[in-house]
Amino acid sequence: MANVENNKIDQAKLDAIVSRAIGDLSAGYGGVMVSLGNRLGLYKALAGAGPLTSNELANRADCAERYVREWLGSQVAGGYVTYHASSGTYELSPEQALVLAEEDSPVFIPHAWAVPASMWADENKAVEAFRSGKGIAWGDHDGRLYCGVAAFYRNAYKASLVAEWLPALSGGIEKKLRTGARVADVGCGHGHSTVLMAKAFPASRFHGFDIHPESVAEARKVAEEAGVSDRVTFASARADSYPGADYDLICFFDCLHDMGNPVAAAAHAVKAIAGEGSVMLVEPFANDRVEDNVSPVARIYYAASTTICCAHAISDGGHLVLGAQAGEARLADVFRKAGFSRFRRALETPFNLILEARL
């Protein structure tokens, strides 16, 4: 405390930092409330129902009123539910419903809270990793991580992958997909990206690969439920050794930065891709310099990267630990070292860079 006492404190700066810290703490508490509201069906019971009393909502959701009333207070305080003081009722606006109640919405957020929940559950593992320098494999994390990541990205891909991202690729890839292409989805996770493409392009054949056996098993279920098992296969395989050749399209969806040797993964793509094929690389949005990555989105990515992405890459050999904020320049360097001669930014969103590599 001596250094603090001997230096003049700028009260305005202190107040700003304390305010930010309280805001962050409030968000952490609020995340628990969002997860509860989702799991208990409270948001869905509110959606489209107009103004409801706490008792009416409790009856609709089959919950105890006193708990529901307090939960509603937290939602009003956080701006997630509108309160009508004159009638003592609560209402979910259409915009709030898109974020909190409609599971197919591209901005549906509740499932994303499973990821920080898993990070807290794995805190002791992270502490040990920091001290030892060792990695944490993807499969060694709390189970909420896999479901949270899959559910969160599924909606973003559903909104943009087929409608915007694939058409932005060069070399007539979209036309090939319509007439019959061969596609590898590397690091496919629960297979939502693979299945979305398979549903849109029934003439093509899709092969999903992931090193996490439990995710591969879940991906097969997802494909079966979607009715595309006739044109989709899933297998456990590494990004630098998956089977097959002459792929017209090889996809890396939000996974290359998790790999311990991304150059080897890109080099294997050189061997596996057809001569006029394309690699579609979707990565978290990032500028190339730390000082240009100062935003709420960048903060999320750096934090997740600290305990999840970098931790897995280190466990996977750690030859090149990119992290989730690698930026286009570093990613381009990976593919040039692997043997690709063309690399470009096809599109960008506030959350993703959509990049293309070709021989």
Side-chain angles (χ1 to χ4, degrees), residues 177-209:
L177 287 167
R178 296 196 183 284
T179 58
R182 182 173 167 83
V183 180
D185 189 354
V186 183
C188 65
H190 285 196
H192 293 299
S193 53
T194 327
V195 168
L196 282 170
M197 292 187 290
K199 289 175 70 175
F201 304 104
S204 293
R205 294 296 176 266
F206 300 85
H207 307 273
F209 304 106

Side-chain angles (χ1 to χ4, degrees), residues 111 114-115 138 144-154 308:
H111 290 313
V115 177
W138 178 258
R144 284 169 290 188
L145 173 63
Y146 325 125
C147 296
V149 168
F152 181 65
Y153 282 114
R154 176 193 64 199
I308 301 167

